[in-house]
Amino acid sequence: MTDPKSAESLLHVRVYYEDTDAGGVVFYANYLKFLERARTEWLRNLGVNQSGLAVSEQRLFVVRSLDMSYRKPAKLDDLLTIRSRVTKLGRASIHFAQRAERDGELLAEGNIQVCCVDAANMRPTELPTDLRAKLESIQE
């Protein structure tokens, strides 16, 4: 993981047997898991504890939308680099651009919109003030 104050975050993920399909390549839906881990670890490095927010502020993060493109397959034992950066902050949302790479080669990329919701009613609610400040401070 890179510097939490950086506009871009890096997470390295090893491909395990459980990540592959019958053809020996990463099953397409597993890229979404890799991207989720990267977003979660980046927030954690920023000092944001999602389970803590759920308890203390009754706020959760849910994926509202995503757009994925798959370029080349990843295979068993590959070491992937997941690159994440915030592209836009909304009142209740964070837009991420994410890429999965192997040795600098683009394998998959996506744009993901994550929405902050009230845990009680699952309706959109403002991003926590401290999180917004942290994200604004690192935006390019």
Side-chain angles (χ1 to χ4, degrees):
M1 185 58 69
T2 55
D3 179 0
K5 294 178 183 169
S6 173
E8 181 177 64
S9 166
L10 302 178
L11 178 71
H12 299 289
V13 177
R14 177 75 61 191
V15 174
Y16 295 106
Y17 186 76
E18 66 187 21
D19 300 318
T20 62
D21 62 16
V25 299
V26 171
F27 183 64
Y28 76 95
N30 286 334
Y31 285 98
L32 300 178
K33 293 179 183 181
F34 301 155
L35 300 184
E36 174 73 30
R37 289 177 198 160
R39 291 190 308 272
T40 298
E41 291 303 322
W42 189 37
L43 287 172
R44 188 182 319 274
N45 279 337
L46 281 174
V48 177
N49 180 319
Q50 292 186 67
S51 57
L53 280 177
V55 172
S56 67
E57 298 191 38
Q58 302 301 303
R59 293 184 184 173
L60 305 172
F61 292 105
V62 297
V63 172
R64 181 180 183 278
S65 64
L66 65 96
D67 176 29
M68 287 293 297
S69 295
Y70 301 94
R71 309 283 185 205
K72 295 186 177 186
K75 298 178 181 173
L76 180 65
D77 290 329
D78 282 351
L79 182 61
L80 307 182
T81 300
I82 310 301
R83 295 181 179 275
S84 306
R85 64 183 173 84
V86 173
T87 58
K88 179 181 173 187
L89 284 176
R91 183 185 70 79
S93 63
I94 308 169
H95 297 248
F96 290 90
Q98 293 185 276
R99 300 166 55 97
E101 300 174 353
R102 178 187 52 233
D103 296 325
E105 179 181 36
L106 177 63
L107 304 179
E109 62 186 334
N111 294 300
I112 297 90
Q113 180 184 13
V114 177
C115 187
C116 182
V117 298
D118 183 288
N121 61 23
M122 299 303 285
R123 297 184 58 87
T125 189
E126 288 185 352
L127 292 168
T129 305
D130 59 331
L131 172 57
R132 175 176 291 287
K134 288 176 183 180
L135 293 173
E136 287 174 344
S137 74
I138 62 172
Q139 271 194 302
E140 296 177 325

